[in-house]
């Protein structure tokens, strides 16, 4: 898994963690027949994913996560779906990697 | 954003009347690939891994031959329910030991609030818990029959 894929995976895993980390949510899932049996597996997977991400990206990610609850926003019609600012042409990704940082809100932008 | 398990999340192209794979992971791959082909999923690989991680913390089989895998992901463009059937059955690690014959894959975009995603899953579970609905889903002769079952619980 490359670094961008790891960042996106970390985002999805953190969403899942937010859904199941409190006992009330887990009780609701159990009631639906969807019992969460191994929460530690999520933490172990998270550690493994984090270890594959460069510290520079991780700092951006964790800062945005703490601030907004979600660290990555989709770009739709050149608009950051986190802060809804119109992004300038210069904000487009320069290489093959579809990730940049929103200069307005600091979220990671997923250009896809 | 509001959501209902009704026509808004259903699409005739997202119904797979006969899943070919025998394994849970392969079945999820086939369902995600279908959603990807139709543009409901922007990154199939990411979504498959997210679903796989969810299965690792507990099977999404709810018993009596039904599984409701689910994900809220950056990979998902809009809320969608992918419906699939396996007459042969798939080992989904169900607590009751039954093979899974009906799979309702609930997909939500990352920006959907947690409560709405949970409600989406809960409605899919409500459909599948009724024996008559399970039977209709297993015996459905096409998408219209499936849609009529899922419409029954549309608020």
């Amino acid at each position: 898994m490359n670094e961008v894929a790891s960042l996106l995976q970390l985002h999805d895993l953190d969403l899942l963690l937010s859904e199941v980390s409190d006992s009330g949510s887990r009780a609701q899932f159990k009631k639906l027949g969807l019992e969460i049996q191994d929460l530690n597996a999520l933490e172990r997977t998270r550690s493994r994913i984090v270890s594959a991400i460069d510290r520079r990206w991780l700092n951006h990610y964790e800062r945005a996560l703490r601030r907004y609850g979600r660290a990555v926003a989709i770009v739709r019609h050149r608009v950051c779906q986190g802060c809804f600012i119109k992004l300038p042409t210069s904000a487009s990704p320069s290489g093959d990697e579809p990730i940049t940082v929103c200069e307005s809100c600091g979220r990671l932008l997923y250009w896809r | 954003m509001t959501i209902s398990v009704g026509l808004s999340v259903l699409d005739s192209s997202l119904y797979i009347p006969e899943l070919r794979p025998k394994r849970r992971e392969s079945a999820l791959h086939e369902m995600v690939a279908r959603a990807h082909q139709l543009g409901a999923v922007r990154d199939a690989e990411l979504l498959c891994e997210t679903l796989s991680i969810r299965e690792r913390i507990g099977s999404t089989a709810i018993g009596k031959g039904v599984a409701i895998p689910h994900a809220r992901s950056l990979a998902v463009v809009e809320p969608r329910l992918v419906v699939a059937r396996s007459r042969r059955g798939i080992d989904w690690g169900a607590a009751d030991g039954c093979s899974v014959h009906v799979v309702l894959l609930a997909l939500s975009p990352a920006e959907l609030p947690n409560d709405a995603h949970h409600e989406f899953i809960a409605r899919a579970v409500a459909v599948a818990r009724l024996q008559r609905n399970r039977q209709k889903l297993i015996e459905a002769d096409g998408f219209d029959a499936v849609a009529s079952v899922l419409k029954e619980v549309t608020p």
Side-chain angles (χ1 to χ4, degrees), chain B residues 11-41:
Chain B
D11 185 314
S12 60
S13 302
L14 293 177
Y15 170 56
I16 302 175
E18 190 55 59
L19 274 172
R20 287 166 297 176
K22 295 177 190 170
R23 293 174 54 246
R24 167 176 25 174
E25 199 157 297
S26 311
L28 285 171
H29 270 83
E30 185 173 330
M31 296 177 77
V32 168
R34 176 68 67 93
H36 185 237
Q37 280 165 9
L38 291 164
V41 167

Short mmCIF file of all heavy atoms in Angstrom, two decimals, chain B residues 11-41:
data_model
loop_
_atom_site.label_atom_id
_atom_site.label_comp_id
_atom_site.label_asym_id
_atom_site.label_seq_id
_atom_site.Cartn_x
_atom_site.Cartn_y
_atom_site.Cartn_z
N ASP B 11 -30.66 0.81 -6.98
CA ASP B 11 -30.45 0.98 -8.42
C ASP B 11 -30.50 -0.43 -9.01
O ASP B 11 -29.85 -1.35 -8.49
CB ASP B 11 -29.08 1.62 -8.65
CG ASP B 11 -28.82 1.94 -10.12
OD1 ASP B 11 -29.07 1.08 -10.98
OD2 ASP B 11 -28.34 3.04 -10.38
N SER B 12 -31.25 -0.57 -10.09
CA SER B 12 -31.40 -1.92 -10.65
C SER B 12 -30.05 -2.52 -11.05
O SER B 12 -29.86 -3.73 -11.01
CB SER B 12 -32.33 -1.88 -11.87
OG SER B 12 -31.80 -1.03 -12.85
N SER B 13 -29.10 -1.66 -11.40
CA SER B 13 -27.77 -2.16 -11.79
C SER B 13 -26.95 -2.60 -10.58
O SER B 13 -25.90 -3.21 -10.74
CB SER B 13 -27.01 -1.08 -12.55
OG SER B 13 -27.73 -0.70 -13.68
N LEU B 14 -27.42 -2.25 -9.39
CA LEU B 14 -26.70 -2.65 -8.18
C LEU B 14 -27.34 -3.89 -7.55
O LEU B 14 -27.21 -4.12 -6.35
CB LEU B 14 -26.65 -1.49 -7.17
CG LEU B 14 -25.80 -0.30 -7.61
CD1 LEU B 14 -25.87 0.82 -6.58
CD2 LEU B 14 -24.35 -0.70 -7.83
N TYR B 15 -28.05 -4.65 -8.36
CA TYR B 15 -28.60 -5.93 -7.89
C TYR B 15 -27.86 -7.06 -8.60
O TYR B 15 -27.81 -7.10 -9.84
CB TYR B 15 -30.10 -6.00 -8.18
CG TYR B 15 -30.70 -7.37 -7.94
CD1 TYR B 15 -30.57 -7.99 -6.69
CD2 TYR B 15 -31.39 -8.04 -8.95
CE1 TYR B 15 -31.10 -9.24 -6.48
CE2 TYR B 15 -31.93 -9.28 -8.73
CZ TYR B 15 -31.78 -9.89 -7.49
OH TYR B 15 -32.30 -11.13 -7.27
N ILE B 16 -27.29 -7.96 -7.81
CA ILE B 16 -26.56 -9.10 -8.39
C ILE B 16 -27.35 -10.36 -8.02
O ILE B 16 -27.33 -10.80 -6.87
CB ILE B 16 -25.11 -9.17 -7.81
CG1 ILE B 16 -24.36 -7.85 -8.11
CG2 ILE B 16 -24.36 -10.36 -8.41
CD1 ILE B 16 -22.98 -7.76 -7.48
N PRO B 17 -28.09 -10.92 -8.97
CA PRO B 17 -28.97 -12.05 -8.66
C PRO B 17 -28.24 -13.33 -8.28
O PRO B 17 -28.79 -14.16 -7.57
CB PRO B 17 -29.77 -12.24 -9.94
CG PRO B 17 -29.04 -11.52 -11.00
CD PRO B 17 -28.22 -10.47 -10.36
N GLU B 18 -27.00 -13.46 -8.74
CA GLU B 18 -26.25 -14.67 -8.36
C GLU B 18 -24.77 -14.33 -8.19
O GLU B 18 -24.06 -14.11 -9.17
CB GLU B 18 -26.41 -15.77 -9.43
CG GLU B 18 -25.88 -17.13 -9.01
CD GLU B 18 -26.48 -17.64 -7.69
OE1 GLU B 18 -27.70 -17.80 -7.60
OE2 GLU B 18 -25.70 -17.86 -6.73
N LEU B 19 -24.37 -14.28 -6.93
CA LEU B 19 -22.96 -14.03 -6.64
C LEU B 19 -22.17 -15.29 -6.98
O LEU B 19 -22.54 -16.38 -6.56
CB LEU B 19 -22.78 -13.72 -5.15
CG LEU B 19 -22.96 -12.28 -4.67
CD1 LEU B 19 -22.93 -12.26 -3.15
CD2 LEU B 19 -21.90 -11.35 -5.24
N ARG B 20 -21.07 -15.11 -7.70
CA ARG B 20 -20.27 -16.28 -8.08
C ARG B 20 -19.32 -16.75 -6.97
O ARG B 20 -19.14 -17.93 -6.78
CB ARG B 20 -19.47 -15.97 -9.35
CG ARG B 20 -20.34 -15.93 -10.60
CD ARG B 20 -19.60 -15.30 -11.75
NE ARG B 20 -19.26 -13.91 -11.45
CZ ARG B 20 -18.55 -13.12 -12.24
NH1 ARG B 20 -18.07 -13.56 -13.36
NH2 ARG B 20 -18.32 -11.86 -11.91
N PRO B 21 -18.70 -15.83 -6.23
CA PRO B 21 -17.69 -16.28 -5.26
C PRO B 21 -18.27 -17.13 -4.12
O PRO B 21 -19.44 -17.00 -3.75
CB PRO B 21 -17.12 -14.98 -4.70
CG PRO B 21 -17.48 -13.93 -5.68
CD PRO B 21 -18.78 -14.36 -6.27
N LYS B 22 -17.40 -17.96 -3.57
CA LYS B 22 -17.79 -18.78 -2.42
C LYS B 22 -17.29 -18.15 -1.12
O LYS B 22 -17.72 -18.52 -0.05
CB LYS B 22 -17.16 -20.18 -2.54
CG LYS B 22 -17.65 -20.99 -3.70
CD LYS B 22 -16.90 -22.31 -3.73
CE LYS B 22 -17.16 -23.08 -5.01
NZ LYS B 22 -16.28 -24.23 -5.17
N ARG B 23 -16.31 -17.23 -1.27
CA ARG B 23 -15.72 -16.64 -0.07
C ARG B 23 -16.24 -15.21 0.15
O ARG B 23 -16.52 -14.49 -0.80
CB ARG B 23 -14.19 -16.64 -0.20
CG ARG B 23 -13.59 -18.04 -0.18
CD ARG B 23 -12.11 -18.01 -0.47
NE ARG B 23 -11.39 -17.11 0.42
CZ ARG B 23 -10.76 -16.00 0.03
NH1 ARG B 23 -10.77 -15.64 -1.22
NH2 ARG B 23 -10.14 -15.25 0.90
N ARG B 24 -16.29 -14.87 1.45
CA ARG B 24 -16.81 -13.55 1.84
C ARG B 24 -16.05 -12.40 1.16
O ARG B 24 -16.65 -11.49 0.60
CB ARG B 24 -16.72 -13.46 3.37
CG ARG B 24 -16.91 -12.11 3.93
CD ARG B 24 -16.93 -12.03 5.43
NE ARG B 24 -16.24 -13.03 6.23
CZ ARG B 24 -16.10 -12.98 7.55
NH1 ARG B 24 -16.63 -12.00 8.23
NH2 ARG B 24 -15.45 -13.91 8.21
N GLU B 25 -14.72 -12.46 1.22
CA GLU B 25 -13.93 -11.36 0.68
C GLU B 25 -14.14 -11.21 -0.83
O GLU B 25 -14.27 -10.09 -1.34
CB GLU B 25 -12.45 -11.60 1.00
CG GLU B 25 -11.63 -10.33 0.90
CD GLU B 25 -10.36 -10.41 1.72
OE1 GLU B 25 -10.44 -10.54 2.97
OE2 GLU B 25 -9.30 -10.36 1.11
N SER B 26 -14.18 -12.33 -1.51
CA SER B 26 -14.39 -12.28 -2.97
C SER B 26 -15.79 -11.75 -3.30
O SER B 26 -15.96 -11.02 -4.29
CB SER B 26 -14.21 -13.67 -3.57
OG SER B 26 -13.03 -14.26 -3.13
N ALA B 27 -16.76 -12.13 -2.49
CA ALA B 27 -18.12 -11.64 -2.72
C ALA B 27 -18.17 -10.12 -2.56
O ALA B 27 -18.78 -9.41 -3.37
CB ALA B 27 -19.08 -12.31 -1.73
N LEU B 28 -17.50 -9.62 -1.53
CA LEU B 28 -17.46 -8.17 -1.32
C LEU B 28 -16.76 -7.48 -2.49
O LEU B 28 -17.20 -6.42 -2.95
CB LEU B 28 -16.75 -7.84 0.00
CG LEU B 28 -17.56 -8.12 1.27
CD1 LEU B 28 -16.70 -7.98 2.52
CD2 LEU B 28 -18.77 -7.18 1.36
N HIS B 29 -15.69 -8.10 -2.99
CA HIS B 29 -14.99 -7.53 -4.15
C HIS B 29 -15.92 -7.41 -5.35
O HIS B 29 -15.93 -6.40 -6.04
CB HIS B 29 -13.77 -8.40 -4.51
CG HIS B 29 -12.52 -8.01 -3.82
ND1 HIS B 29 -12.21 -8.43 -2.54
CD2 HIS B 29 -11.50 -7.21 -4.20
CE1 HIS B 29 -11.05 -7.91 -2.18
NE2 HIS B 29 -10.60 -7.17 -3.16
N GLU B 30 -16.70 -8.46 -5.57
CA GLU B 30 -17.60 -8.43 -6.74
C GLU B 30 -18.66 -7.33 -6.58
O GLU B 30 -18.98 -6.62 -7.54
CB GLU B 30 -18.29 -9.80 -6.91
CG GLU B 30 -19.14 -9.83 -8.18
CD GLU B 30 -19.72 -11.20 -8.49
OE1 GLU B 30 -19.08 -12.22 -8.14
OE2 GLU B 30 -20.81 -11.26 -9.07
N MET B 31 -19.18 -7.18 -5.37
CA MET B 31 -20.21 -6.16 -5.14
C MET B 31 -19.63 -4.75 -5.27
O MET B 31 -20.25 -3.86 -5.85
CB MET B 31 -20.86 -6.38 -3.78
CG MET B 31 -21.60 -7.71 -3.70
SD MET B 31 -22.30 -8.07 -2.08
CE MET B 31 -23.75 -7.02 -2.08
N VAL B 32 -18.43 -4.57 -4.72
CA VAL B 32 -17.78 -3.25 -4.81
C VAL B 32 -17.44 -2.93 -6.27
O VAL B 32 -17.61 -1.80 -6.73
CB VAL B 32 -16.52 -3.21 -3.92
CG1 VAL B 32 -15.68 -1.97 -4.22
CG2 VAL B 32 -16.90 -3.24 -2.44
N ALA B 33 -16.97 -3.94 -6.99
CA ALA B 33 -16.63 -3.73 -8.40
C ALA B 33 -17.85 -3.28 -9.19
O ALA B 33 -17.77 -2.39 -10.05
CB ALA B 33 -16.05 -5.02 -9.00
N ARG B 34 -19.00 -3.86 -8.88
CA ARG B 34 -20.23 -3.46 -9.57
C ARG B 34 -20.56 -1.98 -9.26
O ARG B 34 -20.87 -1.20 -10.17
CB ARG B 34 -21.39 -4.36 -9.12
CG ARG B 34 -22.75 -3.99 -9.68
CD ARG B 34 -22.84 -4.21 -11.18
NE ARG B 34 -22.77 -5.63 -11.52
CZ ARG B 34 -23.84 -6.41 -11.66
NH1 ARG B 34 -25.04 -5.88 -11.52
NH2 ARG B 34 -23.71 -7.68 -11.96
N ALA B 35 -20.44 -1.61 -7.99
CA ALA B 35 -20.73 -0.22 -7.61
C ALA B 35 -19.71 0.74 -8.24
O ALA B 35 -20.05 1.86 -8.63
CB ALA B 35 -20.72 -0.08 -6.09
N HIS B 36 -18.48 0.28 -8.36
CA HIS B 36 -17.42 1.09 -8.98
C HIS B 36 -17.72 1.31 -10.46
O HIS B 36 -17.60 2.43 -10.97
CB HIS B 36 -16.08 0.39 -8.78
CG HIS B 36 -14.91 1.19 -9.26
ND1 HIS B 36 -14.02 0.73 -10.19
CD2 HIS B 36 -14.49 2.44 -8.95
CE1 HIS B 36 -13.10 1.67 -10.42
NE2 HIS B 36 -13.36 2.71 -9.68
N GLN B 37 -18.14 0.25 -11.15
CA GLN B 37 -18.47 0.36 -12.59
C GLN B 37 -19.55 1.41 -12.83
O GLN B 37 -19.56 2.10 -13.84
CB GLN B 37 -19.01 -0.97 -13.12
CG GLN B 37 -17.93 -2.00 -13.42
CD GLN B 37 -18.53 -3.40 -13.58
OE1 GLN B 37 -19.74 -3.56 -13.63
NE2 GLN B 37 -17.67 -4.39 -13.65
N LEU B 38 -20.46 1.52 -11.86
CA LEU B 38 -21.59 2.43 -12.03
C LEU B 38 -21.33 3.83 -11.49
O LEU B 38 -22.21 4.69 -11.49
CB LEU B 38 -22.83 1.84 -11.35
CG LEU B 38 -23.35 0.61 -12.06
CD1 LEU B 38 -24.28 -0.17 -11.18
CD2 LEU B 38 -24.04 1.01 -13.36
N GLY B 39 -20.12 4.05 -10.99
CA GLY B 39 -19.75 5.39 -10.53
C GLY B 39 -20.19 5.72 -9.12
O GLY B 39 -20.04 6.85 -8.68
N ALA B 40 -20.74 4.74 -8.41
CA ALA B 40 -21.15 4.99 -7.02
C ALA B 40 -19.96 4.91 -6.08
O ALA B 40 -20.04 5.34 -4.93
CB ALA B 40 -22.22 4.00 -6.60
N VAL B 41 -18.87 4.35 -6.57
CA VAL B 41 -17.65 4.19 -5.77
C VAL B 41 -16.48 4.74 -6.58
O VAL B 41 -16.34 4.41 -7.76
CB VAL B 41 -17.42 2.70 -5.43
CG1 VAL B 41 -16.02 2.47 -4.87
CG2 VAL B 41 -18.48 2.21 -4.45
#
